Amino acid sequence: MKTTLRFLSVTLVLVFVSCSSLQVSSEAANNADLKKYNFYTLAETEEGFLPNVNPTQKMQLVKAIEEQARALSTVKNNSGITGPDVLINYFVVVDTKQDLDTYTNYYGRRRWRYQITEVEVREYTQGTLIVDFIDAKTKEVIWHGSTTGVITANSIKLEQKINDAVKAIFDKYKKDQLL
């Protein structure tokens, strides 16, 4: 069972069950003026980064983040002149959770009664995508966003689910930027 769950967590990151919009939590630094940033790029990561994500899913995640960063940047191809204003760093956390349900059934007749209590244990894998926006000059986090969902075995929609999670985080950043 543990081998199956481990395989599931390694092969299926960020496949969220819910078709509704993803819930994103965010926090901006107290002194950060999110409106002053114009050029965003993905931070470089070390080899072996994200041990719970296979190379295909990492590539899909990087592609989705880079696409959203390009859409967010108001200055295009600025890295050769002054460098990026914001480095985007990301991380994925995969955890196994349990859900318990208890059912009690009563059976009986006139002179006797019988009670059955059943406990149903369901294990599931939960994935959290964390994205940090880091000021390239000061190296301080200016904005932090995350979204969490249940990972499922439906690998057909994996890329779409990753794109939805990344888009939800970037949409939240855009809303916070306007405030």
Side-chain angles (χ1 to χ4, degrees), residues 6-7 11 13 21 30 36 51 57 72 90 100 102 110 116-117 126 132-133 138 141 149 157-158 167 170 172 178:
R6 186 166 183 89
F7 177 75
T11 58
V13 173
S21 63
N30 290 337
K36 75 176 187 176
Q57 285 131 6
L72 195 59
Y90 65 96
L100 303 172
T102 305
R110 196 175 213 180
I116 298 173
T117 302
Q126 183 176 356
D132 291 325
F133 286 65
T138 64
V141 175
K157 297 182 180 180
L158 175 64
K167 185 173 181 346
F170 275 77
K172 179 68 172 158
L178 296 174

Side-chain angles (χ1 to χ4, degrees), residues 23-133:
Q23 296 296 318
V24 177
S25 61
S26 67
E27 183 177 353
N30 290 337
N31 57 351
D33 180 15
L34 300 179
K35 295 176 186 175
K36 75 176 187 176
Y37 299 104
N38 298 314
F39 186 62
Y40 301 80
T41 190
L42 193 62
E44 293 184 23
T45 58
E46 298 176 7
E47 196 64 35
F49 181 67
L50 298 178
N52 293 332
V53 181
N54 74 29
T56 303
Q57 285 131 6
K58 182 179 177 188
M59 184 177 66
Q60 291 170 342
L61 189 56
V62 166
K63 180 182 171 190
I65 292 173
E66 286 177 341
E67 182 179 307
Q68 291 293 325
R70 276 193 303 274
L72 195 59
S73 294
T74 56
V75 177
K76 306 296 181 199
N77 301 322
N78 190 22
S79 61
I81 300 169
T82 60
D85 297 327
V86 176
L87 299 172
I88 301 171
N89 195 20
Y90 65 96
F91 196 74
V92 176
V93 178
V94 178
D95 196 15
T96 302
K97 302 279 187 175
Q98 287 186 342
D99 191 18
L100 303 172
D101 286 325
T102 305
Y103 304 100
T104 303
N105 294 319
Y106 296 97
Y107 301 98
R109 295 271 191 238
R110 196 175 213 180
R111 295 187 182 180
W112 62 275
R113 190 175 77 174
Y114 185 67
Q115 174 182 339
I116 298 173
T117 302
E118 297 177 16
V119 177
E120 182 181 326
V121 179
R122 290 185 309 275
E123 287 190 350
Y124 62 96
T125 306
Q126 183 176 356
T128 302
L129 173 62
I130 301 165
V131 178
D132 291 325
F133 286 65

Side-chain angles (χ1 to χ4, degrees), residues 114-179:
Y114 185 67
Q115 174 182 339
I116 298 173
T117 302
E118 297 177 16
V119 177
E120 182 181 326
V121 179
R122 290 185 309 275
E123 287 190 350
Y124 62 96
T125 306
Q126 183 176 356
T128 302
L129 173 62
I130 301 165
V131 178
D132 291 325
F133 286 65
I134 303 166
D135 186 298
K137 293 180 179 115
T138 64
K139 304 295 186 216
E140 293 181 9
V141 175
I142 57 169
W143 189 85
H144 170 84
S146 65
T147 186
T148 301
V150 176
I151 297 172
T152 182
N154 187 352
S155 63
I156 296 171
K157 297 182 180 180
L158 175 64
E159 189 169 1
Q160 184 60 43
K161 295 294 183 176
I162 289 173
N163 290 340
D164 291 346
V166 171
K167 185 173 181 346
I169 288 176
F170 275 77
D171 287 347
K172 179 68 172 158
Y173 176 78
K174 290 174 190 176
K175 287 178 185 174
D176 289 353
Q177 198 177 30
L178 296 174
L179 298 177

